[in-house]
Amino acid sequence: MSETRMFWRGVWGYLPAQIVQGVVGFLTIVVFTRLLSPEDFGRYALAFSVTSLAHTVSFSWLEAAMARFWAAERTPGGLATHFASLYRTSFAVIAVFVPLAALVVWLLPLTPAFKLAVGFGLAGAPIRNLAKLAQERYRAAGEVSKAATVDMAVAVLGFLVGAGFALAGAGAASPLLGLMIAPLFALPFILPGELRQSAGGTVDRARLKAYAAYGYPIAASLTLALVLASTDRFLLAAFMDAAAVGAYHASYSLANRTLDVMFIWLGAAGAPAMVMALERGGREALRQTALEQGSTLILIGLPAAVGLSLVARPLAELMIGPELRVAAALVTPWIAASAFMSGLIAYYFGFGFTLGKKTGLLLVTMAVPALANIVLNLVLIPRLGVLGAAVATALSFAIGLVACLLISRRAIALPVPWEALIRCGVASTGMALVVWRLPPLGGFVELVLDASVGGLVYAALALTLNAAGVRDVLNRLIQSRRGATA
């Protein structure tokens, strides 16, 4: 399978999973901002940040190694050792993580509700790690349907379980209970088959050193990315209160989740294709594959970010509880800009560090915006409140994108798709000018009108300009369909 075919097969194969993820993400905001009080929603946001940081520090290096090194294996014996090294090490880390996390939660001076939420969130981290290892292997092997099925099942079940606990009065812990229980139900179906892959293999210390040297800088950079994304919540809690955190997290989730789903969808398809291109065809094959993927990211991500900014008010009126929607509408445009820049770093330009196996530079890259974010939040939150946190995040990601472009030259610098950026920018500007002229009807009616008109205008302009080669792709699809019919 060629790298281009692998990419587009992944794009279409992962589409149903990302649609489900998007729907579940929206339902999570709609349901939990209504079932939970603003204070409980804010406590959930803080507990989720703590849980994400703990998972990233402890387990992400193993998941990154599974994704990167699978394609380089050529023999059954090598694959068995690869699996044995990763899974047995993962179980060893879990054996240390669980009692340590329990001790920390017990000793921390937290309120009972917050302690319960953090406890359940941390308890789910080892479970999610085992499921994530299997998903990374599926993606690396091009087993799109398996990876997508696990994604959809865990997302839907997690939401339903969390909503059930919220209805039962579990408070801030409710969504985290769903995140813990859903992958637990998936493990009996996926883990035995993955463990069989390690039959006959042994833990290879040399491999583990290579995996750690590759994966730990990634884990550290992801930790810094989470610090970049969550510092504002903790500082809002310090300067204001949990309700302010809840309002900010609701708007952040609404805008960021929409774009993140798109970037994860394209990244899940693109990352394995770029690895294969580099391993089989060298730098030139990688450049061609990367340029197509980067153009596709901009074609979809840029108008999505602009569109979210345009519909911030009616979207908040529809999706977010009444106590949180005013602040959400105010900060959504800033968060949309942040999410677009974050997606370009995480799912395109930053991948040059992992391809070049110079993940230490990725750590340096993420340290720059993380430190900037702390300083900017300390300056802007006391002056602007929730809006200050959003502005600080957007400025920090802009600094991070520039740093990534400059530092990646020392690893593998992926090409900047300037032509796609300019043409998609022109199409997005035309879309914005038309949507701004539409009447402010409010709520669902305005949202549907703005989204449908904006989408049609952008599609027409993108096709006219052949932005990111979209007209060429459509022509290839039409010709392929005609050939299959003939």
Side-chain angles (χ1 to χ4, degrees):
M1 180 189 305
S2 71
E3 290 75 25
T4 298
R5 285 186 59 200
M6 185 178 185
F7 170 60
W8 286 106
R9 181 189 174 197
V11 166
W12 300 118
Y14 288 121
L15 180 59
Q18 295 312 311
I19 291 174
V20 170
Q21 288 279 5
V23 171
V24 168
F26 283 132
L27 288 176
T28 297
I29 298 168
V30 171
V31 170
F32 290 116
T33 57
R34 287 166 170 81
L35 293 181
L36 303 180
S37 67
E39 292 77 14
D40 272 342
F41 195 77
R43 293 186 190 102
Y44 149 66
L46 293 171
F48 181 77
S49 296
V50 171
T51 298
S52 299
L53 285 168
H55 180 107
T56 301
V57 169
S58 303
F59 301 110
S60 289
W61 70 280
L62 294 162
E63 299 159 5
M66 175 66 83
R68 178 63 181 91
F69 289 92
W70 185 94
E73 297 293 347
R74 292 289 184 268
T75 65
L79 281 174
T81 301
H82 176 69
F83 277 87
S85 298
L86 287 175
Y87 272 100
R88 292 176 193 176
T89 303
S90 183
F91 284 119
V93 173
I94 290 171
V96 176
F97 179 89
V98 171
L100 183 61
L103 179 64
V104 170
V105 172
W106 180 54
L107 292 176
L108 284 177
L110 306 175
T111 63
F114 190 28
K115 184 171 289 194
L116 194 65
V118 172
F120 281 123
L122 292 176
I127 302 168
R128 289 191 294 276
N129 167 60
L130 294 175
K132 184 71 172 175
L133 281 173
Q135 286 182 276
E136 292 297 343
R137 201 277 294 176
Y138 294 155
R139 292 190 181 108
E143 297 179 14
V144 175
S145 61
K146 286 185 178 181
T149 299
V150 174
D151 264 344
M152 290 186 286
V154 170
V156 173
L157 183 59
F159 167 73
L160 293 175
V161 171
F165 276 106
L167 286 170
S174 302
L176 296 160
L177 280 163
L179 292 176
M180 179 186 74
I181 292 173
L184 185 62
F185 276 97
L187 286 185
F189 299 98
I190 61 178
L191 189 58
E194 294 303 294
L195 293 179
R196 282 195 293 271
Q197 301 270 358
S198 64
T202 59
V203 176
D204 186 333
R205 293 181 181 274
R207 283 176 183 260
L208 282 178
K209 287 182 181 179
Y211 294 169
Y214 169 82
Y216 268 123
I218 291 179
S221 65
L222 288 173
T223 300
L224 288 174
L226 285 170
V227 169
L228 177 59
S230 58
T231 298
D232 39 24
R233 292 160 178 77
F234 292 103
L235 291 176
L236 280 171
F239 285 113
M240 300 177 73
D241 52 29
V245 178
Y248 181 78
H249 185 71
S251 58
Y252 192 98
S253 299
L254 185 62
N256 187 72
R257 183 59 178 162
T258 302
L259 285 160
D260 204 34
V261 164
M262 296 180 183
F263 279 115
I264 291 173
W265 163 44
L266 296 171
M274 281 200 277
V275 171
M276 289 293 186
L278 180 62
E279 292 288 341
R280 296 174 178 175
R283 294 290 184 95
E284 181 56 28
L286 172 63
R287 192 193 70 81
Q288 295 175 2
T289 300
L291 193 59
E292 182 176 19
Q293 293 182 27
S295 299
T296 305
L297 285 173
I298 292 171
L299 175 71
I300 298 174
L302 182 59
V306 174
L308 277 172
S309 302
L310 294 170
V311 301
R313 179 181 46 78
L315 186 62
E317 291 172 357
L318 180 67
M319 302 294 295
I320 297 176
E323 296 175 300
L324 302 176
R325 63 179 55 149
V326 174
L330 184 66
V331 304
T332 293
W334 294 97
I335 301 302
S338 301
F340 177 66
M341 290 183 285
S342 173
L344 290 178
I345 295 170
Y347 299 103
Y348 185 64
F349 292 112
F351 202 57
F353 297 107
T354 59
L355 288 168
K357 298 182 182 178
K358 293 187 178 181
T359 49
L361 292 175
L362 181 59
L363 176 60
V364 176
T365 300
M366 293 311 302
V368 174
L371 292 173
N373 190 47
I374 294 172
V375 174
L376 289 169
N377 271 293
L378 288 171
V379 172
L380 295 177
I381 287 178
R383 291 169 172 79
L384 301 175
V386 174
L387 179 60
V391 174
T393 300
L395 292 175
S396 300
F397 276 115
I399 293 170
L401 182 58
V402 173
C404 183
L405 288 170
L406 293 175
I407 298 174
S408 66
R409 295 176 182 176
R410 299 179 61 186
I412 293 180
L414 298 183
V416 179
W418 288 112
E419 185 177 350
L421 184 61
I422 293 170
R423 296 189 185 198
C424 293
V426 171
S428 297
T429 301
M431 174 186 71
L433 292 174
V434 172
V435 171
W436 273 331
R437 303 287 296 177
L438 297 177
L441 302 175
F444 178 74
V445 175
E446 182 178 351
L447 178 62
V448 171
L449 178 64
D450 289 355
S452 57
V453 171
L456 289 172
V457 170
Y458 179 79
L461 290 173
L463 284 169
T464 301
L465 296 169
N466 196 24
V470 64
R471 195 167 63 230
D472 299 333
V473 173
L474 288 176
N475 286 334
R476 288 202 303 266
L477 289 173
I478 292 171
Q479 292 170 4
S480 177
R481 179 65 61 87
R482 288 175 178 171
T485 304

